[in-house]
Amino acid sequence: MEINATLIGQMIAFSIFVWFTMKFVWPALQKAMRARQESISDGLAAAERGRRDLEQAEGKTTEMLQEARSKANEILEQANKRSNELIEEAREAARKEGERQFAQMQAQIEQELNQVKRELRDQVVTLAITGATRVLEREVDAKAHNDLLEDLAKQL
Amino acid sequence: MSENTGISEYIGHHLTNWRVGEGFWAIHADSLAVSVILGSIFCWVFWMVARKATAGVPGGLQTFVELMVEFIDGLVKDTYPGKNPLVAPLALTIFVWVFLMNLMDLVPIDLAPETMHALGWDYFKILPTVNLNITFGLSLSVLGLIIVFSFMYKGPGGYLKEILFHPFDHWALVPFNMVLNIVELLAKPISLSLRLFGNLYAAELIFVLIAAMTLAYGVLEVFTSVGGIFLLIGQIILATIWAIFHILVVPLQAFIFMMLTIVYLSMAAEHH
């Protein structure tokens, strides 16, 4: 095997290829790879952040749900209480109304009774006078005895 | 007797380069051309990928190229102290280029010479790494870089001091140290290139010998005679096994060449 100018040619070719790789191939590839690495790590960080946000939101949701539930319970309780009160009030009002009507009725009845009594008395008086008139046959002066008869009627 | 001369002629033909010119300034045009073409293919493919490289989802070729870059970047970062913009691209070039050149070992043994013969060339050796000029071309370039790195990182004085006073720090042992260090320095490119050359030369030679098994038979005779069929089957089996074995050897030798280059350059850049 002889050593000849091929050696020099090979050395020149070698240096050209290495220079080319160093200048045009290596940096561009490294740059792209580093950029991808960064974007991947960014993506992972974003995913992590999203996960944490979701967790937080879930916690908040649970909290809000609990709050809403307790508020609803409170409202329900209040409504129950209010309805009880209303029922009580209504009952009271009905009772009072009933009593009032009862009293009114009683008063009316009494009044009617009194009127009936008076009418009856008047009629009795009239009847008595009529009777007396018949009995006395025009001898009794109606005017003279009117006061007396009225007293009598009052005593009835 | 005529059969033997036929075989030796066949082997000799396979081991002869296509030479242009005479004496030292002659050029083994086949080795150099294949080597430059393969190096250009490497540069072109990697450049195409690098030009269109995106940070988004990479395509198949980009993934492959990035895998190589990642692999070599990892090796260089693990081995080489500090940062140097040259070492990693150098390692990548050596690995892929030597790999591609070694891969020519798996081209069917008669394909290139016969094709080129039909086109008018007398000799054509397609495997560049069985040419000492090629392997020494690589390793002497590496030697040059070792010396440059030593000067750069240690300074001329520091490097001279290391040559004279390392490993034995005594005035009386200066000549001994000098011889030792120079031998060590020169052993690096020699071992690099001879290892690659030897491995591929042996591989090529065995392929040639396997191919020569049925040389005594004519094309028709191989298929018609019992001995011919027997040898043909044996030849196919042996060539297959040897080729499979070289699927391992081809990248391994490329890797060793690259790795040792990184190690030598690291040693040059390190302070003792």
Side-chain angles (χ1 to χ4, degrees):
Chain A
M1 183 60 62
E2 58 184 301
I3 293 291
N4 57 27
T6 314
L7 178 79
I8 296 163
Q10 176 73 0
M11 284 170 88
I12 293 167
F14 185 45
S15 42
I16 290 171
F17 289 144
V18 169
W19 169 80
F20 185 87
T21 309
M22 193 174 86
K23 195 93 186 161
F24 298 109
V25 176
W26 192 267
L29 284 170
Q30 285 274 302
K31 204 178 123 199
M33 285 160 75
R34 210 165 296 137
R36 179 169 329 108
Q37 227 163 28
E38 260 166 36
S39 79
I40 288 173
S41 67
D42 283 358
L44 285 177
E48 179 63 27
R49 216 175 315 122
R51 207 177 55 77
R52 215 172 298 133
D53 283 358
L54 184 69
E55 245 167 44
Q56 237 166 29
E58 267 172 359
K60 207 174 265 177
T61 311
T62 316
E63 214 169 87
M64 279 165 83
L65 211 64
Q66 247 162 11
E67 206 173 297
R69 204 169 283 150
S70 72
K71 209 168 221 170
N73 276 341
E74 206 175 290
I75 289 169
L76 209 65
E77 222 165 83
Q78 255 173 12
N80 271 339
K81 217 164 93 186
R82 181 88 191 104
S83 89
N84 281 345
E85 272 173 17
L86 279 175
I87 289 169
E88 208 55 46
E89 264 170 34
R91 198 174 282 155
E92 186 69 17
R95 203 174 53 77
K96 271 186 185 155
E97 178 70 14
E99 268 171 17
R100 196 182 59 78
Q101 277 186 358
F102 184 68
Q104 202 180 352
M105 248 3 157
Q106 250 177 350
Q108 206 175 344
I109 289 168
E110 207 162 315
Q111 201 181 343
E112 273 175 16
L113 194 67
N114 283 344
Q115 199 174 341
V116 168
K117 268 181 187 167
R118 204 177 303 130
E119 275 174 16
L120 205 64
R121 205 161 45 212
D122 287 352
Q123 276 178 5
V124 168
V125 169
T126 317
L127 213 66
I129 290 172
T130 313
T133 313
R134 288 259 173 93
V135 171
L136 296 173
E137 286 175 336
R138 281 176 256 176
E139 276 184 32
V140 178
D141 185 9
K143 268 185 190 166
H145 294 96
N146 218 14
D147 294 336
L148 187 80
L149 284 171
E150 257 176 31
D151 276 355
L152 202 73
K154 265 176 196 160
Q155 280 166 19
L156 278 172
Chain B
M1 190 63 205
S2 65
E3 189 187 297
N4 281 342
T5 51
I7 288 176
S8 56
E9 224 171 73
Y10 177 77
I11 295 172
H13 184 265
H14 270 287
L15 293 181
T16 310
N17 282 104
W18 166 30
R19 183 144 49 84
V20 177
E22 283 299 324
F24 177 76
W25 291 107
I27 278 178
H28 290 151
D30 48 1
S31 296
L32 200 57
V34 172
S35 148
V36 168
I37 288 168
L38 291 174
S40 305
I41 289 173
F42 152 69
C43 280
W44 184 70
V45 169
F46 273 60
W47 180 62
M48 289 296 280
V49 172
R51 220 171 34 141
K52 283 189 263 166
T54 58
V57 180
L61 188 63
Q62 196 187 333
T63 309
F64 170 74
V65 165
E66 282 182 7
L67 203 73
M68 302 281 294
V69 168
E70 190 102 33
F71 165 64
I72 282 160
D73 200 37
L75 280 177
V76 171
K77 271 186 186 143
D78 286 345
T79 315
Y80 189 79
K83 268 187 174 280
N84 190 296
L86 175 67
V87 178
L90 175 82
L92 177 70
T93 310
I94 288 176
F95 181 64
V96 181
W97 196 19
V98 172
F99 174 78
L100 288 174
M101 287 196 282
N102 287 352
L103 204 61
M104 294 302 110
D105 189 27
L106 295 174
V107 172
I109 199 79
D110 281 325
L111 184 66
E114 289 301 319
T115 310
M116 296 315 272
H117 186 71
L119 292 173
W121 277 269
D122 288 333
Y123 299 103
F124 198 89
K125 238 164 85 175
I126 198 172
L127 181 56
T129 36
V130 293
N131 191 327
L132 274 177
N133 292 300
I134 298 294
T135 58
F136 267 108
L138 292 170
S139 68
L140 288 180
S141 305
V142 171
L143 174 71
L145 282 175
I146 291 172
I147 293 168
V148 168
F149 271 50
S150 297
F151 270 93
M152 256 170 53
Y153 284 88
K154 293 162 185 156
Y159 190 40
L160 196 70
K161 210 175 148 195
E162 190 185 305
I163 288 176
L164 298 180
F165 295 106
H166 186 84
F168 302 110
D169 191 8
H170 193 277
W171 277 106
L173 288 167
V174 163
F176 178 73
N177 284 339
M178 215 166 94
V179 169
L180 197 71
N181 281 314
I182 286 170
V183 166
E184 191 197 338
L185 187 66
L186 292 180
K188 284 170 183 171
I190 291 172
S191 72
L192 263 184
S193 58
L194 287 187
R195 180 183 304 107
L196 183 61
F197 168 79
N199 268 281
L200 272 295
Y201 189 81
E204 182 80 345
L205 203 62
I206 299 289
F207 272 124
V208 174
L209 287 176
I210 291 170
M213 274 169 68
T214 53
L215 204 65
Y217 295 88
V219 176
L220 212 67
E221 252 184 317
V222 168
F223 295 103
T224 49
S225 67
V226 178
I229 290 174
F230 185 73
L231 275 177
L232 184 68
I233 292 169
Q235 185 183 37
I236 289 169
I237 291 170
L238 282 176
T240 307
I241 292 170
W242 194 239
I244 289 170
F245 177 56
H246 275 83
I247 291 174
L248 183 70
V249 170
V250 161
L252 187 68
Q253 286 305 319
F255 177 77
I256 288 171
F257 201 109
M258 173 200 69
M259 199 62 223
L260 284 178
T261 302
I262 300 173
V263 169
Y264 290 158
L265 289 179
S266 322
M267 283 160 70
E270 256 169 10
H271 288 276
H272 281 286

